[in-house]
């Protein structure tokens, strides 16, 4: 991340004139060393201005991706499916195909309603040797995701799969899955790494993504981390919405009490993020919602001895309210 920040700073200095920032960082390194310089870099990560500069030449119409390599966009209304490759912040459309989707409009709500979900989903498995009805293979989504479960949506087995091997497919809809021609599902299998692929399913129109929203979320993420690292419980909790829910259903009051006890230990912490992905989240609640995922590297110390360490996948659902991002759900 530090090398990436330096490259952005150098490019910016050459292009739009932030030479003063670059000079300050280099001089600080000369006089005070790498630890002091790292603090300056970490502070820059909390600034929306930095992130707007970093995002300037990236394709962000469908979000911001460091860990995702492929992106499916499924339009339930037109029954079209788009496949994009993501490389260094740039998108390349690899395919556009027709699909069969579930009956019914809006988001899937309950088991058996045969509606294709709306939202952002990862793929958790690849299956073959299925009942011939599902074609030669299927990619399994993680429906219901955290957002669905918080809203008490039920159901399972939402797949991207092929068509019946016997050629008998009279239904013009699925049981909530997305179905494509068998040669297409074979092509997908050759192209994607399903573990680094996301599916965004939407209806009628794709949520508009502004670079300013992405910059606000990225800067918020690092301010949240800064408050956490500094045991600043008041600032830390200010990033959470009043209606916040933990993935296990814990509401804000109990979550605040729990975090207050943890922060009161006054442990030293080292926290870093990698593979940050930010996806616009289509929803029928008309929220300006984003799914934010990343790998969180965490170490806590007391009297220089390690008390806790983890490297976990984190998932946040962040809503933009009055131009400010707030955490609605956390896993």
């Amino acid at each position: 991340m530090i090398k990436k920040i330096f490259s952005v700073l150098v490019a910016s200095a050459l292009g739009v004139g932030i030479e003063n920032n670059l000079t300050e960082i280099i001089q600080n390194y000369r006089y005070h060393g790498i630890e002091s310089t790292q603090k300056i870099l970490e502070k820059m990560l909390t600034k929306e201005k930095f992130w707007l500069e970093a995002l300037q030449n990236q394709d962000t119409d469908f979000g911001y991706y460091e860990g995702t390599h492929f992106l499916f966009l499924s339009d339930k209304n037109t029954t079209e499916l788009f496949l994009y490759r993501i490389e260094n912040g740039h998108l390349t459309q690899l395919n556009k195909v027709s699909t069969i989707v579930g009956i019914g409009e809006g988001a899937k709500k309950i088991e058996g309603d045969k509606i294709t979900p709306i939202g952002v989903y990862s793929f958790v498995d690849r299956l073959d040797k299925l009942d011939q009805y599902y074609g030669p293979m299927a990619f399994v989504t993680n429906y219901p995701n955290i957002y669905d479960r918080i809203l008490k949506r039920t159901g399972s087995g939402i797949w991207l799969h092929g068509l019946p091997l016997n050629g008998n497919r009279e239904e013009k809809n699925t049981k909530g899955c997305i179905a494509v021609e068998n040669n297409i599902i074979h092509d997908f299998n050759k192209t994607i790494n399903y573990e680094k692929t996301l599916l965004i399913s939407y209806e009628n129109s794709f949520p508009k993504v502004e670079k300013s929203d992405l910059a606000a979320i990225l800067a918020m993420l690092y301010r949240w981390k800064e408050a956490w690292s500094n045991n600043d419980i008041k600032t830390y909790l200010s990033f959470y919405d009043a209606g916040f829910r933990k993935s296990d259903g814990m509401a804000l009051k109990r979550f605040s009490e729990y975090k207050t006890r943890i922060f009161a230990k006054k442990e030293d912490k080292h926290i870093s993020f990698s593979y940050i992905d930010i996806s616009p989240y289509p929803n029928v609640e008309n929220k300006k919602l984003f799914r934010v995922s990343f790998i969180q590297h965490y170490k806590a110390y007391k009297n220089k001895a390690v008390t806790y360490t983890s490297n976990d996948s984190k998932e946040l659902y962040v809503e933009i309210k009055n131009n400010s991002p707030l955490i609605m759900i956390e896993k």
Side-chain angles (χ1 to χ4, degrees):
M1 178 60 76
I2 291 176
K3 290 173 67 177
K4 186 174 182 179
I5 296 168
F6 265 116
S7 66
V8 172
L9 284 171
V10 171
S12 301
L14 293 173
V16 296
I18 60 167
E19 294 90 342
N20 290 341
N21 282 342
L22 189 59
T23 300
E24 177 188 350
I25 290 170
I26 294 171
Q27 290 288 67
N28 187 83
Y29 173 71
R30 288 183 61 231
Y31 292 121
H32 304 292
I34 192 64
E35 289 189 11
S36 177
T37 304
Q38 184 169 347
K39 290 179 181 179
I40 293 175
L41 296 175
E42 290 285 349
K43 180 58 70 172
M44 292 190 69
L45 289 169
T46 68
K47 307 296 183 184
E48 290 182 34
K49 183 178 179 181
F50 165 77
W51 286 108
L52 282 171
E53 186 66 35
L55 296 170
Q56 184 177 8
N57 296 317
Q58 295 200 27
D59 299 328
T60 57
D61 286 348
F62 305 141
Y64 173 80
Y65 300 97
E66 295 177 357
T68 294
H69 295 174
F70 297 94
L71 189 64
F72 282 114
L73 304 182
S74 175
D75 185 340
K76 287 176 54 176
N77 186 50
T78 65
T79 65
E80 292 177 322
L81 180 69
F82 303 83
L83 174 60
Y84 290 88
R85 177 186 285 119
I86 307 169
E87 291 180 298
N88 300 317
H90 298 285
L91 296 168
T92 302
Q93 184 175 316
L94 301 180
N95 216 331
K96 173 186 174 183
V97 301
S98 295
T99 65
I100 302 173
V101 298
I103 61 173
E105 298 179 351
K108 183 175 182 62
K109 295 179 180 178
I110 60 172
E111 177 85 37
D113 63 13
K114 299 183 180 180
I115 295 175
T116 299
I118 289 176
V120 180
Y121 300 96
S122 56
F123 292 102
V124 296
D125 203 357
R126 173 196 173 279
L127 304 176
D128 54 19
K129 299 180 182 178
L130 300 163
D131 185 301
Q132 66 84 30
Y133 179 83
Y134 298 102
M137 69 185 64
F139 297 103
V140 180
T141 76
N142 69 330
Y143 176 87
N145 62 25
I146 300 165
Y147 186 73
D148 295 316
R149 293 199 298 269
I150 289 294
L151 294 179
K152 302 188 184 306
R153 293 172 179 164
T154 60
S156 61
I158 302 299
W159 300 348
L160 169 60
H161 63 75
L163 299 181
L165 297 177
N166 64 10
N168 182 18
R169 180 62 194 246
E170 296 180 357
E171 301 100 326
K172 300 300 181 183
N173 57 71
T174 68
K175 298 176 182 178
C177 296
I178 300 170
V180 298
E181 296 285 350
N182 291 336
N183 63 312
I184 298 298
I185 201 73
H186 276 303
D187 287 344
F188 289 164
N189 186 51
K190 293 175 184 177
T191 301
I192 70 168
N193 176 348
Y194 76 84
E195 294 177 323
K196 296 183 181 298
T197 303
L198 286 179
L199 166 69
I200 304 181
S201 176
Y202 63 100
E203 195 170 66
N204 298 320
S205 63
F206 191 87
K208 185 174 178 58
V209 179
E210 303 284 357
K211 281 183 166 57
S212 57
D213 290 335
L214 296 174
I217 292 170
L218 285 159
M220 179 277 289
L221 193 63
Y222 280 90
R223 291 197 300 271
W224 175 69
K225 180 177 82 74
E226 180 182 58
W228 192 1
S229 300
N230 294 335
N231 292 307
D232 181 354
I233 188 66
K234 182 177 180 181
T235 302
Y236 177 83
L237 292 174
S238 71
F239 296 108
Y240 291 85
D241 185 77
F244 167 79
R245 286 289 187 277
K246 199 90 163 56
S247 57
D248 61 4
M250 184 188 295
L252 183 62
K253 184 177 184 296
R254 193 153 64 92
F255 177 78
S256 299
E257 293 169 349
Y258 166 71
K259 285 294 183 179
T260 298
R261 291 195 300 271
I262 298 297
F263 279 41
K265 296 179 181 180
K266 298 297 182 181
E267 293 174 312
D268 296 320
K269 301 182 182 72
H270 181 269
I271 306 166
S272 62
F273 302 147
S274 60
Y275 302 114
I276 300 171
D277 289 339
I278 304 176
S279 303
Y281 197 95
N283 63 93
V284 296
E285 293 78 32
N286 295 317
K287 295 179 178 180
K288 198 172 190 179
L289 190 64
F290 294 83
R291 174 190 180 270
V292 182
S293 66
F294 51 92
I295 302 299
Q296 177 180 284
H297 313 278
Y298 179 94
K299 277 189 178 182
Y301 303 83
K302 193 71 174 180
N303 299 322
K304 297 184 178 181
V306 175
T307 57
Y308 183 79
T309 183
S310 66
N311 292 288
D312 295 328
S313 297
K314 291 285 288 186
E315 197 170 316
L316 307 176
Y317 288 80
V318 174
E319 184 179 359
I320 304 285
K321 289 186 174 183
N322 299 319
N323 298 317
S324 295
L326 292 169
I327 300 170
M328 309 293 293
I329 301 170
E330 178 180 340
K331 172 182 177 290

